[in-house]
Amino acid sequence: MIEILSTTALATVQDVGRFGSLGYGVGTSGAMDHLALALGNLLLGNPEDAAALEIPMFAFEVRFTQDCAFAVTGAACEATLDGQPLPPYWVAQAREGQVLSLGYPTSGSRAYLCLAGGVDVPSVLGSRSTQLRGEFGGLHGRALQQGDRIAALRPGVSTLPTDFGVVSPSQALPLQRDGLPAMRVLPAAEYDCFLEDSRAAFWAGEWKVTTQSNRYGYRLEGAPILPKAPMEIRSHGIVPGVIQVPHGGQPIIQMRDAQPSGGYPKFGTVIEADLWRLGQAPIGSKVRFIECSYAEAIAALEDNQCYLAEVSRLVDLHGLASR
Amino acid sequence: MTNQEIRQLAVWLKENHLAGAELRRPGMHLVLKRSSDAVAVVVPQPVKAADKPLLKTPGLGRLLLTHPDQTEALVAVGSQVAQGQLVAFLQIGDLLLPVRSQQAGRVAAVLTPCGTTVGYGEAFMRLDAA
């Protein structure tokens, strides 16, 4: 059990996401950085579908009201447990009464606090993720508040090893172009309806993550993407990663809390394997995009899976060696 | 484990007058036995240079003095170190294991550059006793 001490807004309970309900108008939700969540769960020996706290604003502070193993992953923030520094992507054992503080990140933008066994909230439509728009899932369907108490499914002193870490995804799976974090993009249905110059400028340019960026979507700022002719499209299904271009030509990338339909023309889609990179791009930072093929997008997903499988193997070995 | 590492283990066994060693890991079982008969004498080595304690690596791996996601080293020459404080990481593949100081003191010298592949028991940092 932990108690939220800070008043920092917008922290939510998230797992891998809620799938299979798009037809009812229910978006997927889920962690903005899937890899950070998966690694936190691996470090703790949790099931893949265990939920954690996603923390987008700092400083963030919780008190452990009972012994509990935990892992902090995602953004590299100055983390301390009762004043003792905690490295990034690290699993540790907390004792009753200890206070975990997460300071402002030096890289990345979202931290994940994973608890042994996962966060104990009811599963709704197959997921523990907070669905903010529908006000269900997570803890009472809302962001966490000061004084909230959150239980872990496997509290106590862990029988698995703690006090070790893993190399972060941004080190293990680096992707940059000209010194900026990059994401691979598949051209989408209306790609060919945009001016050739605009298309070239999209791949060549730098894109700033504006302050109008959150779990619903990222609004980017850069050279306007202009259509060959005005487009009017009926609303259709969209998923996280889709890059829409409204009038004015400044793109919006749908993120995990995106609504499941929209009518803006679709320029492209940030591939599933790279959405975590965007999820960790801080507001005000710049990113670039790399055109990729469907086969490359599938291969990128496999790279992510290989990395997780390798970490899982090493964590298991470490568990055997520590016995 | 490479032949070179096994040879290094054999050297350490000899240096420390140990009769042998057995290592078990999934997929690996290594038994080393010294053929010499002058063995099994467990003589505690006289603790020398106690005023200049050395921190030694706890195993094989890549010794990191700075976390790959951070820019500042965990400790630098002149830092005060408490017993049990994290002073380095041992990287094994994607895994990072903590290297903690067995004693308190002030860091007098860093003997191994960050990123060096180290074996078991290599001195990498010298402390001045607190």
Side-chain angles (χ1 to χ4, degrees):
Chain A
M1 183 84 90
I2 56 171
E3 183 187 348
I4 311 285
L5 300 180
S6 47
T7 52
T8 322
L10 299 177
T12 52
V13 175
Q14 300 292 343
D15 61 10
V16 290
R18 184 173 284 109
F19 298 97
S21 297
L22 282 172
Y24 309 116
V26 176
T28 53
S29 305
M32 292 279 273
D33 182 348
H34 264 208
L35 289 183
L37 173 71
L39 287 165
N41 284 332
L42 279 179
L43 285 171
L44 285 161
N46 285 352
E48 273 176 47
D49 62 354
L53 304 191
E54 180 179 280
I55 301 145
M57 305 279 264
F58 303 87
F60 188 83
E61 225 171 42
V62 299
R63 180 188 290 119
F64 287 87
T65 56
Q66 69 187 124
D67 296 350
C68 189
F70 69 97
V72 178
T73 60
C77 41
E78 301 274 321
T80 57
L81 182 65
D82 266 4
Q84 290 297 311
L86 208 62
Y89 281 87
W90 205 257
V91 58
Q93 172 72 49
R95 295 301 188 152
E96 183 186 338
Q98 285 192 308
V99 172
L100 172 69
S101 301
L102 304 183
Y104 197 78
T106 48
S107 71
S109 69
R110 287 178 171 81
Y112 291 83
L113 170 56
C114 307
L115 302 176
V119 168
D120 187 8
V121 294
S123 176
V124 182
L125 291 174
S127 166
R128 294 186 171 89
S129 286
T130 313
Q131 168 51 265
L132 289 172
R133 204 188 298 270
E135 298 181 5
F136 62 84
L139 188 75
H140 313 312
R142 60 162 170 78
L144 302 177
Q145 296 166 358
Q146 191 176 29
D148 277 345
R149 285 171 164 253
I150 294 145
L153 283 161
R154 187 164 46 80
V157 175
S158 180
T159 54
L160 297 170
T162 54
D163 193 30
F164 68 99
V166 289
V167 173
S168 68
S170 48
Q171 297 288 334
L173 302 162
L175 185 59
Q176 293 204 330
R177 273 291 180 281
D178 301 326
L180 290 181
M183 291 102 214
R184 287 161 285 192
V185 167
L186 279 169
E190 285 82 46
Y191 179 71
D192 290 327
C193 303
F194 291 93
L195 292 174
E196 204 165 310
D197 285 355
S198 288
R199 282 184 267 157
F202 177 82
W203 305 115
E206 295 181 348
W207 292 93
K208 187 181 166 188
V209 179
T210 69
T211 51
Q212 291 168 283
S213 300
N214 50 39
R215 287 189 47 86
Y216 293 96
Y218 276 28
R219 271 181 189 269
L220 304 182
E221 194 180 289
I225 306 170
L226 301 174
K228 291 173 180 168
M231 276 181 269
E232 292 295 340
I233 302 174
R234 288 173 195 264
S235 284
H236 51 267
I238 52 172
V239 291
V242 165
I243 305 172
Q244 297 179 316
V245 182
H247 304 296
Q250 299 294 304
I252 305 168
I253 306 184
Q254 301 300 316
M255 297 302 279
R256 297 286 174 192
D257 279 345
Q259 56 183 34
S261 67
Y264 290 129
K266 299 176 299 301
F267 183 88
T269 305
V270 175
I271 64 173
E272 172 71 26
D274 283 350
L275 268 181
W276 69 272
R277 301 180 198 274
L278 200 55
Q280 288 295 4
I283 283 174
S285 70
K286 286 180 175 172
V287 297
R288 286 180 180 277
F289 297 106
I290 302 170
E291 187 172 1
C292 88
S293 66
Y294 183 74
E296 286 166 334
I298 297 292
L301 264 185
E302 280 165 8
D303 289 345
N304 289 3
Q305 288 309 318
C306 284
Y307 162 62
L308 290 178
E310 176 62 7
V311 169
S312 171
R313 190 182 73 84
L314 288 169
V315 169
D316 286 349
L317 274 179
H318 181 56
L320 287 174
S322 315
R323 240 189 265 166
Chain B
M1 188 168 238
T2 65
N3 283 340
Q4 198 190 346
E5 284 159 357
I6 294 171
R7 255 182 245 119
Q8 178 68 68
L9 264 182
V11 169
W12 283 332
L13 289 180
K14 191 174 175 209
E15 281 174 2
N16 292 287
H17 308 287
L18 294 173
E22 193 171 340
L23 261 176
R24 275 174 195 274
R25 291 281 185 278
M28 189 192 96
H29 185 189
L30 175 74
V31 181
L32 293 179
K33 284 182 183 161
R34 282 180 66 211
S35 52
S36 155
D37 47 10
V39 293
V41 192
V42 183
V43 183
Q45 295 288 308
V47 184
K48 55 183 178 181
D51 54 329
K52 293 270 183 187
L54 289 171
L55 301 187
K56 294 183 177 176
T57 51
L60 305 173
R62 214 171 142 241
L63 188 77
L64 302 181
L65 303 169
T66 306
H67 190 280
D69 281 330
Q70 293 173 329
T71 48
E72 267 183 59
L74 291 166
V75 292
V77 172
S79 306
Q80 203 62 41
V81 170
Q83 188 182 2
Q85 185 175 330
L86 187 65
V87 291
F89 300 98
L90 202 56
Q91 182 186 354
I92 302 159
D94 290 321
L95 216 57
L96 293 176
L97 304 182
V99 182
R100 294 184 182 278
S101 177
Q102 295 94 344
Q103 49 217 312
R106 196 182 59 85
V107 179
V110 176
L111 310 172
T112 310
C114 185
T116 309
T117 301
V118 295
Y120 172 80
E122 287 184 31
F124 68 94
M125 207 175 267
R126 197 172 62 239
L127 298 183
D128 283 330

